[in-house]
Amino acid sequence: MDRPELRLAQLPGLLRQIAGNQDRFDDVRLFEFGRVYYKTPADAKSKSQPGPLATESKRFTLVHQPPAGSTSSASDLDERPEFHALLELRGLLTRLCGDIAYDGAVSMRRLSGDAVPAYLHPGAALELVAHLPGDAGETPLGCAGLLHPGTQAAFDLKLPVV
């Protein structure tokens, strides 16, 4: 067995796959639906009946490395391929979650400050939110965004990834 540990996230594996395919294809899109594991909080375990050490969760992760576009400056972000890929991803996730699970009551809002995951670019991070009926309010479903340049460099990715 090449990976004896329980995995905590899907993103690293998908980014390694993009890195391995970026020289073969102009446009790389990958997704995975699978299990990840989190350490069970200590307060969830009692001394008389010890609970599980890890909590299993199902996750959907999608990554897209769009083809290289024209060289553009930060002033024309809306012309960059990664910006269009992020808009496409936003629409896809909103429709997918709205159609399947939440009867169309799903939207995205911009994340900022400490709410932005470290692997996402702080200026291009979104949160997917379900609007539940009644007084239930909003339920966060996940996030989307442009990969942080530091994360991009750590995986030797030549082009930006959403």
Side-chain angles (χ1 to χ4, degrees):
M1 180 182 285
D2 63 339
R3 300 193 190 271
E5 302 88 20
L6 297 175
R7 74 177 167 172
L8 305 176
Q10 296 168 322
L11 187 60
L14 289 171
L15 294 178
R16 283 191 291 274
Q17 290 295 319
I18 283 187
N21 285 290
Q22 64 187 348
D23 291 330
R24 295 183 193 124
F25 303 101
D26 291 336
D27 187 5
V28 182
R29 296 178 191 207
L30 303 169
F31 76 92
E32 182 176 354
F33 182 73
R35 294 177 177 95
V36 296
Y37 300 88
Y38 302 95
K39 185 176 180 180
T40 302
D43 59 345
K45 299 179 248 179
S46 70
K47 292 182 181 180
S48 62
Q49 285 189 322
L53 297 176
T55 302
E56 178 183 284
S57 180
K58 291 182 181 175
R59 294 284 186 252
F60 175 75
T61 304
L62 173 77
V63 291
H64 179 200
Q65 185 180 51
S70 61
T71 56
S72 57
S73 66
S75 63
D76 59 354
L77 176 66
D78 60 337
E79 296 299 320
R80 296 168 73 179
E82 59 268 23
F83 179 75
H84 291 282
L86 179 59
L87 292 179
E88 182 182 343
L89 177 64
R90 180 185 72 176
L92 172 70
L93 290 174
T94 302
R95 285 190 313 273
L96 179 67
C97 292
D99 289 347
I100 292 175
Y102 294 97
D103 200 24
V106 174
S107 65
M108 285 222 173
R109 63 178 170 220
R110 187 167 183 223
L111 287 173
S112 61
D114 292 341
V116 178
Y119 59 87
L120 290 181
H121 190 292
L126 303 169
E127 179 180 39
L128 184 64
V129 180
H131 305 280
L132 302 176
D135 293 332
E138 298 178 339
T139 299
L141 299 176
C143 60
L146 182 63
L147 201 63
H148 191 282
T151 307
Q152 181 180 331
F155 285 89
D156 294 325
L157 299 169
K158 297 174 183 175
L159 298 171
V161 172
V162 295

